């Protein structure tokens, strides 16, 4: 007899019924790719009335070493959104291959993803320009998680160390950029949320020149641990609204920042809840 091995949690956020599951594994091995894609396909097959898909978890930030407004720090959240200055309005771009060319630049082989409907991105933008609910949801989450194993509060700021790759496996630590002119210092002032494409792909997500070059090419402010198989399933099941929300736990792809992972995951979940709560009520 076939038995469903995935665990689904059903609940309500605002006016919407939601279903969640945890991906069994992610990465570029055949087993990981198959498992992640199959889990998504199975959920969407069982719950066929799902209209909106949120991919929520941790990721690696793309820091800017001089501009405070463009700088992504640990504990921030990146919501996958199109770059305003690019004609192709993808929200996630997966790099399968990156090679240096004869001119000193890079040639990329990519798979871009964009929703047919940008409702979720539009709501995130509107919330970021108002007094958002996600700060309250972070506080609410901390209360609910009281007593649950793990450090859900943000670690000490001194643990957010920013380093520059100077080649041959060497790094130097530098200071985070400070606000300049009319830029507002958000330190201690609530969750910082950025809207930009999210990128993936082992060819570019590691530290080094390729990582920075591809992030600039794609306008990405975050990398994740390769969710292209999941997005293939989402698009293949004709889900027109989807978004990736990444809480920043390190400066690579979200897999190494163990100290920041719990809080980053909570921050990403708070942003997701705020977006769902702001969605228009269902019509049926």
């Amino acid at each position: 007899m076939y038995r469903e091995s995935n665990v689904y949690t059903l609940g309500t956020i605002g006016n919407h019924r939601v279903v969640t599951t945890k991906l069994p594994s992610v990465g570029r091995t055949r087993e990981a790719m198959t498992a992640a894609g199959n889990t998504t396909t199975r959920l969407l097959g069982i719950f066929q009335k799902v209209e909106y898909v949120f991919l929520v978890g941790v990721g690696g930030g793309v820091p800017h070493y001089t501009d405070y407004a463009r700088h992504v720090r640990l504990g921030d959240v990146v919501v996958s959104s199109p770059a305003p200055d690019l004609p192709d309005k993808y929200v996630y771009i997966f790099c399968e291959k990156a090679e240096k060319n004869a001119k000193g630049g890079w040639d990329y082989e990519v798979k871009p993803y964009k929703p047919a409907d940008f409702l979720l991105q539009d709501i995130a933008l509107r919330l970021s320009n108002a007094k958002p609910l996600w700060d309250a949801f972070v506080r609410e989450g901390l209360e609910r998680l009281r007593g649950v194993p793990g450090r859900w509060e943000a670690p000490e700021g001194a643990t957010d160390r920013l380093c520059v790759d100077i080649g041959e496996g060497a790094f130097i630590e530098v200071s985070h950029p400070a606000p300049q002119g009319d830029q507002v210092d958000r330190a201690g002032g609530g969750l910082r949320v950025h809207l930009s494409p999210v990128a993936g792909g082992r060819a570019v997500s590691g530290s080094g020149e390729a990582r920075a070059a591809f992030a600039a090419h794609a306008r990405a402010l975050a990398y994740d641990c390769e969710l292209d198989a999941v997005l293939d399933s989402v698009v293949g099941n004709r889900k027109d609204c989807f978004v990736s929300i990444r809480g920043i736990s390190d400066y690579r792809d979200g897999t190494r920042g163990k100290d920041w992972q719990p809080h980053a995951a909570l921050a990403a979940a708070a942003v997701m809840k705020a977006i769902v709560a702001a969605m228009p009520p269902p019509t049926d």
Side-chain angles (χ1 to χ4, degrees):
M1 177 186 297
Y2 171 78
R3 297 184 63 185
E4 172 61 47
S5 60
N6 291 95
V7 176
Y8 304 106
T9 301
L10 304 179
T12 302
I13 297 178
N15 295 308
H16 295 270
R17 293 284 291 167
V18 298
V19 55
T20 67
T21 193
K22 180 181 178 182
L23 294 177
S25 59
V26 290
R28 293 311 297 167
T29 66
R30 183 178 298 275
E31 292 79 7
M33 293 170 64
T34 300
N38 286 349
T39 297
T40 308
T41 299
R42 193 173 298 119
L43 183 149
L44 296 176
I46 295 172
F47 302 95
Q48 296 185 14
K49 289 189 175 182
V50 167
E51 295 183 50
Y52 310 98
V53 178
F54 293 78
L55 307 179
V56 184
V58 298
V62 178
H64 196 286
Y65 295 96
T66 59
D67 188 343
Y68 177 84
R70 297 163 62 190
H71 182 46
V72 178
R73 296 194 60 163
L74 303 188
D76 289 0
V77 174
V78 175
V79 178
S80 65
S81 303
D85 63 332
L86 293 180
D88 189 3
K89 299 304 180 184
Y90 53 75
V91 301
Y92 185 95
I93 182 165
F94 178 78
C95 183
E96 295 184 312
K97 190 175 182 181
E99 290 184 343
K100 267 291 190 68
N101 57 40
K103 297 180 179 180
W106 291 86
D107 294 324
Y108 304 110
E109 185 177 329
V110 303
K111 293 195 299 182
Y113 299 86
K114 59 183 177 182
D117 185 342
F118 289 92
L119 171 68
L120 304 180
Q121 285 77 15
D122 292 342
I123 291 175
L125 177 60
R126 174 165 55 84
L127 292 176
S128 69
N129 291 324
K131 187 172 178 59
L133 288 173
W134 44 61
D135 289 328
F137 290 151
V138 169
R139 293 191 294 269
E140 177 186 294
L142 288 173
E143 285 298 318
R144 292 193 176 194
L145 290 167
R146 194 179 298 276
V148 176
R151 181 191 170 105
W152 301 97
E153 299 83 1
E156 295 296 327
T159 64
D160 183 1
R161 300 172 60 194
L162 183 62
C163 297
V164 176
D165 185 346
I166 59 175
E168 299 182 356
F171 297 84
I172 57 172
E173 186 171 349
V174 298
S175 299
H176 292 274
Q180 302 293 326
D182 59 355
Q183 293 178 340
V184 178
D185 188 354
R186 288 295 307 278
L191 183 60
R192 291 186 63 190
V193 177
H194 311 264
L195 278 65
S196 82
V198 173
R202 188 169 299 179
V204 291
S205 62
S207 60
E209 183 183 356
R211 173 186 171 86
F214 188 72
H217 169 78
R219 311 297 194 269
L221 292 181
Y223 282 94
D224 68 18
C225 47
E226 308 184 354
L227 294 176
D228 56 308
V230 175
L231 286 165
D232 284 339
S233 175
V234 171
V235 173
N237 281 278
R238 298 184 178 182
K239 301 304 175 183
D240 291 339
C241 267
F242 58 85
V243 66
S244 178
I245 302 176
R246 300 288 114 188
I248 303 303
S249 62
D250 61 35
Y251 292 113
R252 287 177 62 92
D253 62 1
T255 61
R256 296 192 174 192
K258 304 302 183 185
D259 291 342
W260 280 85
Q261 280 182 356
H263 183 74
L266 171 61
V271 172
M272 177 213 67
K273 184 175 181 180
I275 293 174
V276 175
M279 291 167 57
T283 56
D284 58 2

